[in-house]
């Protein structure tokens, strides 16, 4: 049995998320089908993160096991062939030892959320950023976000259906910056995240950015440890899984 590590890029728009579900096609199922078409083997593909419906990935790490004697380059090219025309691309493949696990071997995960504050609707970037018709104060958003760094009870930013055993998580880094005249980026890094944690943070920082909330309110709602104190959950299409550290 041979184990292969993949680096995968995908547009989450047409998918129900990474994980296989009964209500539609997932990224995981798409890759598993491509593997079967390539070598006739049924296998499970494991990932570093389980993105929701509509969430994108720039460099998602995944792995799977097959018996076929082949090379990593052939695996990459064959999977890309069978994945077409789905918006999923295997950027790289490499054979790894059997103790590597895409999820459990990860030391940190990095996400980005993109806001676009312009009056005009999005044409080229529709479904890839959250358009805000008014200007966002990215400096206030960044200052507010610093209250979330470190280990906290993130119940306020946790989805009601989250299956994590504990709401305690540690954010290693969070930063908001203006990329250009209309694009603002929120970057968050941690070992692991709660369900909807990044989107809940992004939605709450939006309230700061438009001046609805004072920047100190982020620390206040964190301390509440109450989901009802959270701002709106930002739409999924602005969120990107960037990469994982190993």
């Amino acid at each position: 049995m041979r184990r292969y590590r993949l680096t995968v890029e995908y547009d989450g728009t047409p998918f129900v998320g990474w994980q296989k579900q009964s209500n539609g096609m997932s990224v995981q199922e798409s890759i598993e089908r491509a593997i079967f078409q390539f070598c006739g083997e049924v296998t499970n593909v494991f990932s570093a993160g389980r993105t929701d419906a509509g969430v994108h990935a720039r460099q998602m790490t995944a792995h799977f096991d097959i018996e076929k004697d082949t090379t990593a380059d052939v695996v990459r090219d064959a999977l890309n062939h069978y994945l077409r025309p789905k918006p999923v691309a295997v950027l790289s493949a490499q054979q790894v030892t059997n103790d590597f696990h895409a999820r459990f071997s990860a030391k940190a995960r990095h996400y980005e959320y993109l806001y676009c504050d312009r009056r005009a609707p999005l044409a080229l970037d529709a479904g890839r950023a959250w358009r805000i018709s008014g200007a966002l104060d990215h400096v206030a958003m960044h200052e507010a976000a610093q209250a979330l760094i470190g280990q906290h009870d993130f119940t306020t930013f946790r989805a009601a259906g989250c299956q994590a055993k504990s709401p305690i998580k540690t954010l290693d880094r969070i930063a908001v910056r203006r990329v250009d005249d209309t694009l603002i980026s929120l970057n968050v890094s941690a070992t692991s995240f709660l369900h909807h944690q990044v989107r809940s943070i992004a939605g709450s920082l939006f309230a700061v950015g438009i001046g609805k909330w004072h920047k100190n309110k982020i620390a206040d709602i964190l301390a509440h440890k109450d989901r009802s104190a959270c701002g709106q959950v930002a739409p999924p299409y602005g969120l990107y899984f960037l990469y994982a550290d190993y």
Side-chain angles (χ1 to χ4, degrees), residues 129-194:
W130 183 13
R131 183 185 69 88
I132 312 299
S133 59
L136 290 174
D137 184 345
H138 67 282
V139 175
M141 294 168 70
H142 175 77
E143 292 174 352
Q146 302 316 296
L148 302 176
I149 291 179
Q151 186 180 80
H152 303 284
D153 181 329
F154 280 96
T155 296
T156 299
F157 302 96
R158 181 187 193 184
C162 180
Q163 297 179 353
K165 294 180 180 178
S166 169
I168 307 296
K169 292 291 178 182
T170 302
L171 288 194
D172 299 316
R173 175 179 178 269
I174 183 167
V176 181
R177 66 184 180 94
R178 183 168 287 281
V179 179
D180 57 31
D181 289 345
T182 62
L183 191 65
I184 292 173
S185 170
L186 162 66
N187 288 88
V188 187
S189 300
T191 301
S192 61
F193 293 87
L194 300 168

Side-chain angles (χ1 to χ4, degrees), residues 84-160:
R84 292 190 302 227
K86 297 182 179 69
V88 182
V90 177
L91 304 180
S92 66
Q94 64 182 112
Q95 189 171 347
V96 292
T97 57
N98 288 341
D99 60 351
F100 173 82
H101 196 287
R103 178 183 177 188
F104 299 120
S105 299
K107 303 299 183 183
R109 293 164 175 85
H110 307 272
Y111 284 86
E112 179 176 47
Y113 196 92
L114 294 180
Y115 310 84
C116 186
D117 59 347
R118 76 180 200 188
R119 185 72 174 177
L122 300 181
L124 296 178
D125 291 325
R128 292 175 176 81
W130 183 13
R131 183 185 69 88
I132 312 299
S133 59
L136 290 174
D137 184 345
H138 67 282
V139 175
M141 294 168 70
H142 175 77
E143 292 174 352
Q146 302 316 296
L148 302 176
I149 291 179
Q151 186 180 80
H152 303 284
D153 181 329
F154 280 96
T155 296
T156 299
F157 302 96
R158 181 187 193 184

Side-chain angles (χ1 to χ4, degrees), residues 14 37 51 78 93 154 156 161 171 197 213 240:
Q37 290 176 287
T51 54
F154 280 96
T156 299
L171 288 194
Q197 184 178 355
W213 287 359
Y240 296 75

